[in-house]
Amino acid sequence: MTPDELEGAVAAGMPQAIQDLKRLASIPSIAFPGHPEEPVYAAAALTEALLRSAGLPHVRQIPVEGSFPAVYAEAPAPPGAPTVLLYAHYDVQPPGDPALWRTPAFEPTEIDGSLYGRGTADDKSGVISHVAALRAFQGRFPVGIKVIIEGQEEYAGERLEAFVNQNPELVRADAIIVADTGNPRVGDPSVTTSLRGMGAFTVEVRTLKESLHSGSFGGAAPDALAALIRMLAALHDDHGDVRVPGLPRGNFLGTGPSEEEFRTTAGVLNDVSLVGSGSLADRLWASYSITVTGLDVPTVSGAINAVQAVARARVTVRVPPAGDPKTTVNAVVDFLNQVAPWGVQVNVTDYTMGTGYLADTGGAARTALNRAMERAYGRPPRDVGAGGSIPLVSTLVKQFPAATILLFGAEDDGAAIHAPNERVNLEELHRTATTEALFLQEYGSTTI
């Protein structure tokens, strides 16, 4: 099949691919505790059906201990051709406050060339980009194909990591496409070559046997919430740089967004300053960052006049690719204990860790991707970093050090993933599927 024919086949299949994305994104596959499990299994079933429709001869759901099933598919490699593993996940983040959505989160709505809805970008666009690329070959694949679509990445991705460690031959490949990233801007071809790792924990502060009347005891009784606020505020200096010893700012060898681009994409309000120092690429992709992602304290609407006996916070730390998440989290926890005032009791629980990733930017697979992406977008790609983490990537690197891992996809920085009004640009989805199909064709000419 010529590149022109392949591009035409992808284009002809896009209307069906968009309808499939709407079907998949209408399923509230939230794999978090406390949410219904039936929709997650329904999304797994539909994902299985979609992979069968792509011409893959072997498709099945496989159990993952302590998690929802992964959907696995494979097609044998032609003689002498390499094998490519395709990854995405079918579970999604909770939608949050429905009032913040302009359209219902699980009623995918097409507006001005974009499809809005939870999971339309992260990461059901990844599922559909794989399906759309594979359909173009009508079952005659130029490389060996393996596909694994995860069912609980957003909450417990470490469970698939354990599965891969126990079953490495199932996913062994020469190149691995991770379709869970995207371009900084729509139409700006990029390959993600750097992922920050992450660590998270819950810190609890206790000061009293029980909360007390603030009129009778305030001014002398130690307030757990006030103590926690002081501790969390101490993590950053007045510029917003991390104050924890041993967590220096890093350097990213590439170009990041301009401040104007970042402010627009992030929705920073007028006259509100950005935080931290160094280039934006350094801050976003190569340095440590600490974010308080949740607080267990009385709500404003439910507030009573009381000195609080206990307060909790969830703290997330992003770690540069070369950093060690465990060492980093230990440094942050030690610092919080050091700055804790008034002898308060501090307890830290519920640790989560994930290692970062730094890619080798050479090799036959990356060369084939560069050519495919240049044809699909009209210009060659550039290397970018990502501040987020993909738990499976570090496991794949350890298991298959000779494999080339390629991170790209349809999730541009304006896609509002994990936020209200998530959307995927449908032309970006088309270009992503075209890139993948062209890559598979180009890489298929590589002998192993």
Side-chain angles (χ1 to χ4, degrees), residues 114 216-217 225 241 356 375 389 423:
S114 292
S216 300
F217 295 92
L225 178 55
D241 285 312
R375 184 176 177 97
S389 307
R423 63 102 181 106

Side-chain angles (χ1 to χ4, degrees), residues 211-270:
S211 297
L212 301 171
H213 189 289
S214 61
S216 300
F217 295 92
D223 186 335
L225 178 55
L228 180 60
I229 290 171
R230 288 167 63 109
M231 293 161 61
L232 297 176
L235 291 170
H236 298 89
D237 64 21
D238 289 344
H239 298 290
D241 285 312
V242 172
R243 288 186 60 213
V244 178
L247 306 185
R249 186 174 71 243
N251 295 297
F252 183 80
L253 301 178
T255 304
S258 69
E259 181 168 329
E260 181 180 359
E261 289 170 336
F262 180 80
R263 293 182 69 91
T264 299
T265 301
V268 180
L269 301 180
N270 292 338

Side-chain angles (χ1 to χ4, degrees), residues 133-213:
L134 293 173
R135 280 176 178 164
F137 293 99
Q138 300 179 3
R140 298 184 296 274
F141 305 114
V143 295
I145 298 292
K146 295 182 178 181
V147 185
I148 190 160
I149 309 296
E150 186 175 0
Q152 204 172 22
E153 190 271 350
E154 297 290 7
Y155 178 75
E158 70 276 3
R159 293 169 189 172
L160 184 67
E161 292 181 78
F163 174 86
V164 169
N165 283 329
Q166 294 162 9
N167 302 274
E169 290 306 314
L170 198 67
V171 294
R172 184 177 299 277
D174 301 291
I176 301 169
I177 294 178
V178 177
D180 195 14
T181 61
N183 299 324
R185 296 179 300 278
V186 170
D188 178 15
S190 306
V191 180
T192 300
T193 58
S194 170
L195 294 172
R196 285 194 294 190
M198 66 89 67
F201 58 89
T202 298
V203 56
E204 178 186 88
V205 172
R206 287 187 176 271
T207 56
L208 304 165
K209 292 181 179 178
E210 59 185 21
S211 297
L212 301 171
H213 189 289

Side-chain angles (χ1 to χ4, degrees), residues 18-345:
I18 292 168
Q19 290 305 310
D20 291 335
L21 179 56
K22 289 178 179 179
R23 290 169 61 203
L24 190 58
S26 69
I27 301 173
S29 50
I30 305 165
F32 281 64
H35 291 268
E37 294 187 352
E38 187 279 330
V40 186
Y41 289 109
L46 180 53
T47 300
E48 181 181 1
L50 291 171
L51 291 176
R52 290 187 190 280
S53 77
L56 293 159
H58 307 291
V59 184
R60 68 185 190 274
Q61 293 185 38
I62 51 178
V64 176
E65 185 177 355
S67 185
F68 291 95
V71 184
Y72 180 78
E74 60 181 332
T83 294
V84 178
L85 173 69
L86 310 177
Y87 167 85
H89 62 88
Y90 65 78
D91 65 304
V92 299
Q93 284 278 332
D97 185 354
L100 299 177
W101 286 79
R102 291 187 288 273
T103 60
F106 293 106
E107 295 179 19
T109 305
E110 197 170 338
I111 302 172
D112 296 332
S114 292
L115 187 66
Y116 287 80
R118 173 58 85 227
T120 54
D122 183 19
D123 181 35
K124 292 175 179 179
S125 70
V127 176
I128 297 302
S129 65
H130 292 327
V131 170
L134 293 173
R135 280 176 178 164
F137 293 99
Q138 300 179 3
R140 298 184 296 274
F141 305 114
V143 295
I145 298 292
K146 295 182 178 181
V147 185
I148 190 160
I149 309 296
E150 186 175 0
Q152 204 172 22
E153 190 271 350
E154 297 290 7
Y155 178 75
E158 70 276 3
R159 293 169 189 172
L160 184 67
E161 292 181 78
F163 174 86
V164 169
N165 283 329
Q166 294 162 9
N167 302 274
E169 290 306 314
L170 198 67
V171 294
R172 184 177 299 277
D174 301 291
I176 301 169
I177 294 178
V178 177
D180 195 14
T181 61
N183 299 324
R185 296 179 300 278
V186 170
D188 178 15
S190 306
V191 180
T192 300
T193 58
S194 170
L195 294 172
R196 285 194 294 190
M198 66 89 67
F201 58 89
T202 298
V203 56
E204 178 186 88
V205 172
R206 287 187 176 271
T207 56
L208 304 165
K209 292 181 179 178
E210 59 185 21
S211 297
L212 301 171
H213 189 289
S214 61
S216 300
F217 295 92
D223 186 335
L225 178 55
L228 180 60
I229 290 171
R230 288 167 63 109
M231 293 161 61
L232 297 176
L235 291 170
H236 298 89
D237 64 21
D238 289 344
H239 298 290
D241 285 312
V242 172
R243 288 186 60 213
V244 178
L247 306 185
R249 186 174 71 243
N251 295 297
F252 183 80
L253 301 178
T255 304
S258 69
E259 181 168 329
E260 181 180 359
E261 289 170 336
F262 180 80
R263 293 182 69 91
T264 299
T265 301
V268 180
L269 301 180
N270 292 338
D271 300 324
V272 176
S273 300
L274 302 185
V275 297
S277 57
S279 74
L280 279 170
D282 293 346
R283 280 178 270 176
L284 296 171
W285 303 333
S287 297
Y288 298 88
S289 69
I290 303 175
T291 306
V292 179
T293 56
L295 287 169
D296 283 343
V297 296
T299 63
V300 171
S301 61
I304 59 174
N305 293 323
V307 178
Q308 299 302 315
V310 59
R312 299 178 192 84
R314 185 69 176 169
V315 179
T316 297
V317 186
R318 297 294 175 173
V319 183
D324 176 60
K326 184 177 181 181
T327 302
T328 301
V329 166
N330 288 342
V332 176
V333 170
D334 288 347
F335 183 79
L336 287 172
N337 277 291
Q338 292 169 17
V339 299
W342 317 321
V344 301
Q345 295 181 5

